[in-house]
DNA sequence: CACTTATTTAGAACCATTATAAACTGGTTG
DNA sequence: CAACCAGTTTATAATGGTTCTAAATAAGTG
């Protein structure tokens, strides 16, 4: 199976439920952004199964820890995740509450001049808020 | 009083409690970042009064709406606010969970090349995550 | 003062997320 | 095969930040 490596590498056994979550997360033409609730809905639609919320949270968090999913920093009551784990940025449409990818090439190179001693830069993320 | 304009302009009458919140928020040498809980603690320390949580939330949100405070987009279980309302960016120290200002001059100019038709850019915010 | 409207407050409600603990699974071993 | 076992799933409860509510209080007006 194609998802077994991802699961094993994340410290998870390839169970039926986890493989179904992988199916919804990774078997797509395009990457996408989601909240846990939206993912739960997608699972219900795509697979004809209900997977408990705890399992969804656990799996998503394990993938995030290993870098197979990214969390998107945004002010919302729900946490947003991204299946696009390349370095990239986001538009956030304030009215529709929708995220849109901004490729690195859509944003000029970002050069952080300030240094904090003893700390390394782990990531640089740009959020561009949009209004009408 | 020096805060009456800010309050009136935010649609709020200058009451004792609100003036005390202003004192803590705006009567400082430096700007700072805070969560609602941290602000509540600061109020208890600085003024010898307890102001109800509902009043703190209401006042902070009214100021944020008018641009006297900013929300900082970050993944945390609590909302972070900033008394620095100029255009600027942030380091986020993942270990200490502390925010550090990055002035616009500390970050090269950011040129967003992609356009979304019918939408205007409201803000561009950079979050730089730091690890040890 | 009498009257009206805004504000404050404690506590309840809300809800995303996390924790718990009992039932289940599938492999391993004697 | 049966007993065992560690990991997993699940329903449900607990947590905690935020928002709502409704009663008490304060402030503004004539
Ligand atoms: Mn999380
Ligand atoms: Mn808010
Ligand atoms: Zn994305
Ligand atoms: Zn700041």
């Amino acid at each position: 199976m194609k998802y077994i490596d991802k699961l094993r590498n994340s410290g998870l056994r390839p169970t039926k439920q986890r493989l179904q979550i992988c199916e919804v997360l990774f078997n797509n033409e395009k990457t996408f952004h989601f909240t846990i609730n939206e993912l739960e809905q997608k699972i219900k639609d795509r697979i004809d199964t209900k997977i408990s919320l705890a399992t969804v949270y656990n799996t998503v968090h394990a993938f995030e820890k290993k870098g197979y999913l990214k969390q998107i920093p945004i002010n919302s009551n729900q946490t947003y995740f991204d299946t696009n784990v390349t370095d990239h940025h986001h538009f956030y449409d304030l009215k529709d509450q929708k995220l849109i990818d901004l490729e690195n090439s859509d944003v000029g190179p970002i050069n952080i001049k300030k240094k904090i001693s003893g700390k390394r830069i782990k990531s640089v993320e740009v959020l561009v808020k949009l209004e009408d």
Side-chain angles (χ1 to χ4, degrees), chain A:
Chain A
M1 278 303 221
K2 58 212 277 214
Y3 306 122
I4 292 181
D5 293 341
K6 268 183 170 139
L7 286 165
R8 284 249 137 84
N9 198 251
S10 306
L12 303 176
R13 283 191 189 169
T15 63
K16 178 162 62 73
Q17 289 89 342
R18 286 170 181 163
L19 286 166
Q20 288 174 328
I21 293 172
C22 284
E23 200 65 36
V24 175
L25 285 176
F26 304 122
N27 191 26
N28 295 285
E29 285 293 314
K30 292 170 190 283
T31 62
F32 62 99
H33 307 118
F34 65 93
T35 63
I36 296 287
N37 278 347
E38 288 167 357
L39 179 59
E40 217 200 354
Q41 193 53 54
K42 259 194 150 95
I43 291 166
K44 268 189 254 165
D45 293 351
R46 188 116 138 230
I47 323 287
D48 196 22
T49 323
K50 192 198 172 292
I51 295 176
S52 91
L53 203 49
T55 298
V56 177
Y57 271 103
N58 289 342
T59 307
V60 166
H61 282 144
F63 282 150
E64 196 243 333
K65 200 168 177 184
K66 276 292 167 180
Y68 294 124
L69 290 175
K70 279 207 314 186
Q71 246 184 277
I72 304 173
I74 200 174
N75 281 124
S76 168
N77 49 329
Q78 291 160 242
T79 304
Y80 275 82
F81 293 91
D82 199 339
T83 66
N84 179 353
V85 295
T86 66
D87 259 340
H88 70 286
H89 309 289
H90 294 95
F91 279 127
Y92 184 57
D93 186 326
L94 292 164
K95 192 172 56 163
D96 305 345
Q97 299 201 74
K98 279 277 164 289
L99 286 159
I100 303 165
D101 271 355
L102 259 175
E103 294 311 318
N104 252 336
S105 56
D106 294 328
V107 178
I110 296 166
N111 176 22
I112 307 297
K113 286 157 196 155
K114 192 171 179 176
K115 304 282 177 224
I116 304 291
S117 79
K119 302 285 178 183
R120 271 199 317 276
I121 290 175
K122 191 189 182 192
S123 66
V124 175
E125 292 162 271
V126 179
L127 183 68
V128 181
K129 289 184 185 160
L130 294 177
E131 61 187 350
D132 291 299

